Amino acid sequence: MNLQPEDWNALWITLKLAATSTIILIVLGTPLAWWLSQTRFRGKFLLEAIVALPLVLPPTVLGFYLLVALGPSGPVGGFIKAIGGQPPVFSFEGLIIGSVIYSMPFVVQPLQDAFKAIGTRPLEVAATLRATPWDRFWFVAVPLARSGFVTAAVLGFAHTLGEFGVVLMIGGNIPGETQVVSIAIYDHVESLAYTKAHWVAGTLLVISFLLLVAVYAGNRKFRVWKP
Amino acid sequence: MSIEAHIQVERGTFKLNARLELPASGVTAVFGPSGSGKTTLLRALAGLDPCPGSRVIVNGTSWQTTTESLATHERSIGLVFQEPSLFEHLTVQANLDFGRQRISKSAQTIPLDHSIELLEISPLLNRYPHQLSVGEQQRVAIARALVVCPEWLLLDEPLAAMDVARKREILPYLETLCRESDLPILYVSHSREEVARLADHLVVLNEGKVIANGPAIEIFSNLDLPLASEPDSASIIETTVAGHDNTYGLTLLDFAGGQFQVTHHDLPVDTPVRLRVQANDVSLTLERPTQTSILNVFKAEVVEMAEAGPTHVLVKLAISSNSDSGPTLLARITRKSAEQLALQPGHAVYAQIKSAALLN
């Protein structure tokens, strides 16, 4: 393979970032999506709008505000600094925070739709079969929304893989620490190293494709109850 | 032991205000046209929809008072919805186990196998719901509601979503269930036939109000109620199989006012059978007809008469019998005939019954 060590590094960071963000997104997004799908709270649309905001904002705008907020003189970064921590800008942690916010709608919306699609009936049936609300969520809603979870994880992962603007703003371009594949490719192209760019881009393309094939094939196999 | 409820629900312009006192055994049918509040009533009893101000007491336990209300999963109910609503991600066995695992061992008074046998679903246990016919799914749903050993079984039009063939498939199971279990059953339906076959007790709802509440057979022939006044009104007569006439292929059915002869049914002697006699199939004569092709002729007394549309009259008859209250029969005859015979309450007549349908 004609990949440079720093390209391998970028690839590794990208995959690590995507996987970590996806896990965090599922953990945070599931209760949020469940609540949004069940609540009759009137102010729900406000929260939905906030979750959807990264869909319309240019990534640089989001990245810029995150940089300001998380930086040493920003509200969040300043607080972390005051209690003796390291403000999470230009670090892998900063990338994760940025990715989670940036990819949130791609996880919450499919989950919310999947929970909504279950309808109230299976949950009512479960209640008549003595299932507590927590029981109903865990043993009825989650299994029935299974394909929603797959979609949410795939979209969250894929969207984080392709991230560029937010990462550049908040993480900078530190090889081996915050340099992700998309930025590495950009660097290669900037320096007219098209062959290198081809190798990195091609590797990412193949990995992404294989991943999707595996997920969709597996999802089909497991969906025994939907002929 | 009994069930007492006062349910009040308001949804926009619709108001349900129903007071019920029901026996804690047997089948109580809640009957009424669509929009009369049957399902609303059932959902309120199950705790699925909030209904502040209502009261539900089942066998001495308060399910709901004006201040407190048990959540659905805390009420000892079994509920069968109109659609089978099985959990699609679980096998039939796992569907049955779902509720079963959530009740304590000491509360498992009905053996799991008993319900599986009753509904004949043992060949289906390892299948997924989508591999079953709708009828099979509904049988599983009924078994699933039974195995949580509820104190009260609620059935919300369990046959309404089925075609005629499916209904025929499931009704016998429901009949067996109703006959064999000591469980009080609330059966919501707008089908006259299902109610006639299954109900011991009847609650008639109309526009959110209870307009009748009592033994099913009495209510069926009460002329003041919509059940009797519709064109296909009928009366129900409880009989038992007395024997068979093999020469003519007839079955003999004893009842309080005599004996019915109907076409042969393969039933053992002493089987209880409900007969439904359409009011249109009953004609009246003043003298005992001697030369007639009609097999079933009974002496009766006119109890009450009511107009049924511009041309017809509905006559309520008591078939003469040794007991005080003979079985009731409805006859729908033309107004012209009624005037020619000068029918009045108290008059003796002979009722000729052209046909009677067995309900089981």
Side-chain angles (χ1 to χ4, degrees):
Chain A
M1 283 266 248
N2 283 343
L3 285 182
Q4 308 297 313
E6 62 266 28
D7 293 334
W8 280 113
N9 264 333
L11 205 59
W12 169 239
I13 288 170
T14 305
L15 292 176
K16 198 167 71 170
L17 177 65
T20 316
S21 303
T22 306
I23 292 168
I24 295 174
L25 276 167
I26 294 285
V27 170
L28 296 180
T30 304
L32 179 60
W34 175 248
W35 184 78
L36 285 172
S37 72
Q38 302 296 309
T39 186
R40 287 178 196 161
F41 172 59
R42 283 182 189 193
K44 165 180 141 173
F45 66 93
L46 266 176
L47 205 68
E48 286 180 313
I50 292 170
V51 169
L53 213 50
L55 287 175
V56 291
L57 276 186
T60 40
V61 172
L62 189 68
F64 171 69
Y65 282 122
L66 281 171
L67 183 64
V68 171
L70 299 177
S73 45
V76 181
F79 174 74
I80 292 172
K81 200 177 166 194
I83 58 168
Q86 189 69 33
V89 282
F90 307 119
S91 69
F92 187 69
E93 289 74 31
L95 290 192
I96 290 177
I97 295 172
S99 305
V100 165
I101 293 171
Y102 183 50
S103 299
M104 188 66 91
F106 291 85
V107 170
V108 170
Q109 286 183 352
L111 284 179
Q112 189 182 338
D113 290 346
F115 284 140
K116 255 207 178 119
I118 296 172
T120 52
R121 183 49 59 80
L123 301 168
E124 287 182 350
V125 170
T128 70
L129 296 171
R130 316 286 181 272
T132 60
W134 172 250
D135 237 1
R136 278 173 246 162
F137 168 74
W138 206 238
F139 293 102
V140 178
V142 169
L144 285 176
R146 188 184 174 282
S147 63
F149 276 93
V150 174
T151 310
V154 169
L155 288 180
F157 191 89
H159 194 241
T160 310
L161 275 190
E163 213 174 304
F164 185 84
V166 178
V167 170
L168 197 60
M169 293 297 278
I170 196 175
N173 187 2
I174 308 166
E177 208 173 319
T178 62
Q179 191 190 59
V180 295
V181 169
S182 55
I183 294 173
I185 295 168
Y186 181 74
D187 277 358
H188 287 319
V189 173
E190 279 273 89
S191 53
L192 297 174
Y194 272 54
T195 317
K196 284 181 181 172
H198 261 305
W199 274 105
V200 186
T203 311
L204 191 65
L205 181 73
V206 170
I207 291 176
S208 307
F209 182 67
L210 290 180
L211 189 87
L212 288 177
V213 166
V215 166
Y216 283 123
N219 196 31
R220 219 175 102 187
K221 197 172 93 196
F222 283 110
R223 283 170 63 186
V224 286
W225 62 86
K226 290 257 167 67
Chain B
M1 294 306 224
S2 69
I3 293 164
E4 249 187 86
H6 182 200
I7 298 292
Q8 286 174 293
V9 180
E10 266 194 73
R11 299 258 182 287
T13 56
F14 177 76
K15 265 189 199 169
L16 173 71
N17 190 341
R19 238 176 239 283
L20 301 172
E21 266 182 49
L22 306 175
S25 65
V27 181
T28 299
V30 177
F31 180 86
S34 16
S36 57
K38 303 185 298 289
T39 296
T40 309
L41 175 68
L42 178 132
R43 290 181 60 85
L45 292 168
L48 289 170
D49 292 326
C51 48
S54 301
R55 222 163 38 83
V56 183
I57 299 168
V58 175
N59 294 338
T61 312
S62 280
W63 285 6
Q64 182 161 3
T65 63
T66 42
T67 50
E68 273 174 278
S69 173
L70 292 182
T72 300
H73 67 272
E74 297 166 317
R75 300 186 183 202
S76 181
I77 51 164
L79 205 160
V80 178
F81 289 94
Q82 197 168 328
E83 308 80 24
S85 315
L86 298 181
F87 297 128
E88 292 190 339
H89 62 296
L90 300 176
T91 60
V92 169
Q93 179 75 56
N95 265 280
L96 297 177
D97 291 341
F98 188 94
R100 187 76 171 183
Q101 287 161 352
R102 286 169 172 79
I103 59 169
S104 66
K105 279 268 182 295
S106 59
Q108 296 180 357
T109 50
I110 304 173
L112 193 63
D113 291 344
H114 180 261
S115 306
I116 292 173
E117 267 167 44
L118 184 74
L119 290 139
E120 298 184 309
I121 53 171
S122 56
L124 314 176
L125 291 177
N126 293 320
R127 298 209 212 149
Y128 280 92
H130 79 262
Q131 299 169 309
L132 308 180
S133 72
V134 186
E136 289 170 330
Q137 288 186 26
Q138 193 62 304
R139 273 152 59 195
V140 174
I142 295 168
R144 183 177 64 174
L146 277 178
V147 298
V148 295
C149 309
E151 282 181 59
W152 199 9
L153 184 61
L154 309 173
L155 304 166
D156 186 10
E157 308 222 29
L159 301 180
M162 316 269 152
D163 59 32
V164 178
R166 293 288 94 67
K167 277 183 189 155
R168 282 215 194 100
E169 176 195 331
I170 298 175
L171 253 171
Y173 292 103
L174 283 174
E175 260 167 357
T176 317
L177 169 70
C178 293
R179 209 169 41 235
E180 287 190 1
S181 95
D182 333 318
L183 201 62
I185 296 174
L186 190 80
Y187 191 97
V188 165
S189 179
H190 70 270
S191 155
R192 187 185 288 277
E193 193 197 339
E194 288 165 33
V195 172
R197 282 176 74 153
L198 301 170
D200 302 311
H201 197 87
L202 191 54
V203 173
V204 184
L205 273 188
N206 195 27
E207 292 175 354
K209 289 191 185 69
V210 176
I211 55 171
N213 180 356
I217 290 177
E218 277 178 29
I219 291 185
F220 252 81
S221 53
N222 185 336
L223 297 189
D224 301 330
L225 294 175
L227 269 172
S229 60
E230 281 164 39
D232 60 340
S233 54
S235 41
I236 299 166
I237 295 171
E238 308 230 46
T239 68
T240 49
V241 177
H244 303 280
D245 177 344
N246 292 327
T247 322
Y248 293 109
L250 297 174
T251 293
L252 310 175
L253 302 168
D254 273 345
F255 74 109
Q259 193 174 60
F260 265 98
Q261 301 175 50
V262 297
T263 49
H264 182 80
H265 283 78
D266 200 7
L267 292 167
V269 172
D270 285 340
T271 312
V273 171
R274 277 188 176 184
L275 272 185
R276 183 173 57 174
V277 179
Q278 297 278 358
N280 278 334
D281 291 337
V282 179
S283 61
L284 304 177
T285 61
L286 292 181
E287 280 164 38
R288 179 178 280 280
T290 46
Q291 312 271 319
T292 173
S293 67
I294 306 245
L295 288 174
N296 298 301
V297 181
F298 301 104
K299 191 169 187 228
E301 189 187 300
V302 176
V303 178
E304 202 182 342
M305 294 169 66
E307 286 194 7
T311 52
H312 282 80
V313 174
L314 205 55
V315 185
K316 182 176 173 181
L317 306 157
I319 298 178
S320 308
S321 71
N322 301 330
S323 64
D324 295 342
S325 55
T328 306
L329 202 60
L330 291 182
R332 190 163 179 269
I333 57 173
T334 57
R335 200 155 52 85
K336 185 176 176 188
S337 312
E339 272 177 28
Q340 283 176 347
L341 298 178
L343 288 184
Q344 289 295 330
H347 284 190
V349 293
Y350 288 89
Q352 301 193 96
I353 298 164
K354 201 172 151 201
S355 76
L358 260 69
L359 286 173
N360 330 45

